[in-house]
Amino acid sequence: QKKKKTEVLRDMIQSKELEFIMEAHNGMSAVIAQEAGFKGIWASGLSISAAMGVRDSNEASYTQVLEVLEFMSDRTDIPILLDGDTGYGNFNNARRLVKKLEQRGIAGVCLEDKLFPKTNSLLEGAKQKLADIDEFARKIRACKESAADDSFQVVARVEAFIAGWGLEEALKRAEAYRQAGADAILMHSKRSDHTEIEAFVKAWGNRHPIVIVPTKYYTVPTQTFRDWNISLVIWANHNMRASVKAMQDTSNTIFREQSLVNVEPKVATVKEVFRLQDMDELKKAEKKYLPVNDQ
């Protein structure tokens, strides 16, 4: 019997092996991530908002995010973990979000212990206010208890290091969220070295799965994460950033040269776009369902 997406994500988080999920922000990027071989997808708040041309400050409503997720979920067979920011409000908004995610086949949500509207964690000079520990722990519990599927994953993201607090605060928050029922702890850091994450890992002592996002400390060898017994690594925004660079280069070249000669060899073929859209399935369906004279 085929495992549900929620069970696949749960097993990845609980696995003794280091697992990886890749960022996607729409149906096309989700298909590309799956085809690359990734076992799961990170539906990044930064990337989804960037694709809409708005800021990562809850400017896109949660129903607009859900619409994007629906396209992503429809086109993939692998689990999607949503970057759910703060849950778009209090415990009640967050548990309604869980219900709506489950209806769309999303396997889990990651919630961060900041205040609504959130501020992106990597934004320089931004003041990062943290949620009350007890209030956030209860929000996590509400999400776990309201999920119809016991395997739906709720990851608690601790922003203590991001907000300038130390190890003690990070540990206190992580333990409170573990006790509230979080399936894993995402410990975030914006340092370019691994000192904060390593200190947390050593003090945490493998008591519960850890998820990390090495966007800023990308030079740390992946083997180090294995040595630390990390459960899940999120490659958090690289499909979006890759497409930004490609679109800038393409637009600038076409504008400057008023020609496609130097661009056409570097971009995907239209045929490849049709393949990613699964046009073959439609052709077969038309043969089956359209009257012969309409084909």
Side-chain angles (χ1 to χ4, degrees):
Q1 191 180 357
K2 193 179 173 191
K3 281 200 288 194
K4 294 184 290 188
K5 291 179 182 179
T6 51
E7 293 168 340
V8 174
L9 182 60
R10 177 201 64 199
D11 292 350
M12 286 174 73
I13 287 172
Q14 297 293 335
S15 165
K16 297 295 175 211
E17 300 298 313
L18 180 64
E19 301 281 2
F20 304 92
I21 60 175
M22 181 66 186
E23 172 265 318
H25 50 275
N26 55 23
M28 178 76 79
S29 54
V31 171
I32 289 169
Q34 176 169 301
E35 286 191 350
F38 285 101
K39 289 160 64 178
I41 288 168
W42 171 249
S44 157
L46 170 61
S47 297
I48 291 170
S49 60
M52 293 176 177
V54 299
R55 290 164 288 221
D56 187 20
S57 302
N58 297 122
E59 290 183 352
S61 73
Y62 94 94
T63 55
Q64 290 171 316
V65 173
L66 281 173
E67 190 166 334
V68 174
L69 287 168
E70 194 166 333
F71 283 108
M72 291 170 66
S73 184
D74 282 349
R75 285 303 318 280
T76 52
D77 307 310
I78 57 178
I80 297 172
L81 176 63
L82 170 65
D83 172 7
D85 296 337
T86 61
Y88 307 100
N90 71 2
F91 80 93
N92 193 43
N93 305 89
R95 67 179 181 172
R96 180 167 172 79
L97 172 66
V98 168
K99 181 180 179 181
K100 296 291 143 193
L101 293 176
E102 287 193 288
Q103 288 169 355
R104 285 156 181 80
I106 305 301
V109 66
C110 178
L111 299 177
E112 60 197 61
D113 58 352
K114 291 199 295 216
L115 303 180
F116 179 88
K118 62 85 58 88
T119 305
N120 186 280
S121 303
L122 304 182
L123 202 61
E124 288 177 20
K127 286 190 166 60
Q128 304 281 354
K129 290 184 179 166
L130 298 186
D132 174 77
I133 296 182
D134 185 47
E135 187 264 337
F136 188 78
R138 288 167 184 267
K139 184 187 284 187
I140 293 291
R141 193 163 85 228
C143 288
K144 279 305 291 181
E145 291 181 355
S146 64
D149 179 355
D150 287 344
S151 303
F152 182 87
Q153 298 296 285
V154 177
V155 176
R157 172 166 148 179
V158 178
E159 294 279 306
F161 288 141
I162 298 288
W165 294 85
L167 176 61
E168 192 180 338
E169 184 70 15
L171 284 164
K172 185 167 75 172
R173 286 175 175 270
E175 178 58 20
Y177 309 155
R178 181 187 76 83
Q179 289 186 15
D183 293 291
I185 301 298
L186 191 163
M187 187 53 61
H188 209 8
S189 170
K190 61 180 175 183
R191 287 183 65 99
S192 57
D193 60 55
H194 57 51
T195 50
E196 288 178 337
I197 298 294
E198 185 174 31
F200 174 78
V201 166
K202 296 222 159 113
W204 187 243
N206 222 14
R207 71 183 92 158
H208 209 52
I210 299 174
V211 180
I212 61 169
V213 184
T215 304
K216 284 293 203 182
Y217 49 97
Y218 63 89
T219 56
V220 178
T222 302
Q223 184 55 44
T224 303
F225 305 148
R226 290 192 173 91
D227 297 340
W228 292 346
N229 290 318
I230 298 296
S231 294
L232 188 68
V233 168
I234 297 173
W235 309 121
N237 47 44
H238 295 79
N239 273 331
M240 178 272 292
R241 287 165 58 196
S243 55
V244 166
K245 182 77 168 71
M247 288 190 284
Q248 285 173 330
D249 290 349
T250 302
S251 291
N252 290 336
T253 301
I254 294 172
F255 179 77
R256 188 173 61 247
E257 299 181 0
Q258 298 182 352
S259 167
L260 301 175
V261 170
N262 291 317
V263 163
E264 196 58 43
K266 297 177 184 172
V267 297
T269 61
V270 175
K271 188 177 177 183
E272 172 62 2
V273 174
F274 287 160
R275 187 193 68 77
L276 288 165
Q277 291 173 306
D278 202 12
M279 283 300 295
D280 277 353
E281 189 280 331
L282 179 56
K283 282 183 192 165
K284 287 175 192 158
E286 284 175 342
K287 282 197 173 80
K288 186 175 179 183
Y289 299 119
L290 278 183
V292 176
N293 55 351
D294 286 351
Q295 289 182 27

